[in-house]
Amino acid sequence: MQVKSTNRSHGGTQGVYTHASTSTGTEMEFSVFVPDHAEGEKLPVVFYLSGLTCTQANVTEKGEFRAACAELGLIFVAPDTSPRGEGVPDDPDGAYDFGLGAGFYVNATEAPFTQHYRMRDYIEKELPALIGAQFPADMERISIMGHSMGGHGALTIALRNPDRYKAVSAFAPIVSPLNCPWGEKALTGYIGADKSTWRQYDACALIEGGARVPDILVDQGSADNFLEGQLKPEFLTQVCEKSGQPLTLRMQEGYDHSYYFISTFMRDHLEWHAIRMKS
């Protein structure tokens, strides 16, 4: 692991780091905020997954999480959204919703993406192991959250690993890639046309199939221009009601899809996570 930068902020240290990933076969970059703490103390960890076109820099610079994390004693980890570098394939047309910046937190099985696009393994296995080894992290107390494509990632990862994550939440998540253009394009390209293989990457399908977590918190802006065509939170509401999966879905009047929205409700989500990791 290499240190790219560190800065003091809100009674803690904000760092940006790189390392050679065995999952993606590329150099990966991520950011970590560590609050000041007593020597030898281990802190709970929140993993934050970003959305389409983003890197870890978007939430690091605009998420406004550090003051709350310092007060709550939370380490905040933000990885990149896809592998990058020479030889990493991209969307052939240069579109924003596939390829670089759009890894969708899956393990690709379709050429030419299989070699590098293994973001599921990176987030579920490799990055947590690195955080546990290099930072004062209590890896028995971890949680996960995300925005848009990252909300999809957070929900599906938590539902597939209910014993690992103490809490999960999302801002404007893609709740059902099986039923939206973003998901159809990404999952076809990364794992093929057989939609039965997509269900492991669809939060609604996972819940329908019996996956459960103690609670889900979702905030969704009513003025989000992707609300009806891509995000479709009503799908999540319906499957949770039918299955008995606890869900708190808050429609936030007038808010859009941007970090103005995310930063407004970031503290609420971090408090949600802190409570569940302390219990």
Side-chain angles (χ1 to χ4, degrees):
M1 189 182 77
Q2 301 295 317
V3 180
K4 189 171 182 179
S5 66
T6 58
N7 297 92
R8 289 287 295 164
S9 180
H10 290 282
T13 301
Q14 177 65 66
V16 178
Y17 308 89
T18 62
H19 74 114
S21 168
T22 57
S23 299
T24 67
T26 66
E27 184 175 85
M28 294 295 291
E29 189 167 296
F30 61 95
S31 72
V32 182
F33 176 74
V34 180
D36 292 345
H37 56 283
E39 184 176 354
E41 183 182 6
K42 298 285 190 179
L43 303 177
V45 184
V46 178
F47 288 87
Y48 177 94
L49 306 184
S50 294
L52 289 167
T53 76
C54 291
T55 70
Q56 78 292 332
N58 295 77
V59 70
T60 304
E61 296 170 5
K62 298 184 287 188
E64 300 183 20
F65 56 85
R66 279 174 286 270
C69 283
E71 293 172 19
L72 297 167
L74 301 175
I75 293 175
F76 190 95
V77 179
D80 202 347
T81 53
S82 78
R84 301 178 194 270
E86 186 176 352
V88 177
D90 195 7
D91 187 284
D93 300 318
Y96 76 95
D97 56 358
F98 188 76
L100 300 182
F104 265 81
Y105 307 101
V106 306
N107 283 345
T109 58
E110 293 289 302
F113 302 100
T114 52
Q115 180 179 357
H116 298 298
Y117 282 81
R118 303 193 64 80
M119 291 299 293
R120 173 179 177 174
D121 280 353
Y122 182 69
I123 299 300
E124 289 187 351
K125 300 175 182 178
E126 185 177 5
L127 184 60
L130 181 64
I131 297 301
Q134 298 289 337
F135 296 90
D138 180 354
M139 300 309 291
E140 297 299 315
R141 293 186 294 159
I142 66 173
S143 67
I144 193 164
M145 64 191 299
H147 169 232
S148 195
M149 178 186 72
H152 139 76
L155 292 174
T156 55
I157 288 169
L159 286 162
R160 289 195 304 264
N161 301 277
D163 296 332
R164 184 183 307 170
Y165 297 93
K166 302 297 185 185
V168 58
S169 71
F171 301 101
I174 303 169
V175 302
S176 184
L178 278 158
N179 293 288
C180 75
W182 280 340
E184 290 172 5
K185 178 178 180 179
L187 297 184
T188 300
Y190 291 135
I191 61 176
D194 180 0
K195 289 192 175 184
S196 67
T197 66
W198 298 12
R199 297 181 66 83
Q200 63 188 311
Y201 297 116
D202 184 297
C204 292
L206 285 166
I207 294 168
E208 188 177 54
R212 298 288 184 273
V213 291
D215 297 294
I216 298 172
L217 172 63
V218 171
D219 274 310
Q220 172 65 62
S222 68
D224 191 322
N225 57 320
F226 301 116
L227 177 59
E228 295 183 4
Q230 303 281 7
L231 306 178
K232 305 181 180 181
E234 66 275 10
F235 282 42
L236 184 62
T237 299
Q238 290 165 6
V239 74
C240 286
E241 288 178 349
K242 185 176 180 179
S243 67
Q245 165 63 55
L247 168 67
T248 300
L249 173 62
R250 308 190 306 186
M251 293 300 299
Q252 304 293 358
E253 186 64 31
Y255 284 88
D256 59 17
H257 201 67
S258 73
Y259 270 88
Y260 294 108
F261 158 60
I262 297 167
S263 63
T264 300
F265 301 102
M266 178 65 81
R267 177 177 285 273
D268 286 0
H269 283 242
L270 292 171
E271 290 175 349
W272 165 279
H273 288 253
I275 289 169
R276 284 154 182 78
M277 285 194 284
K278 288 177 181 177
S279 62

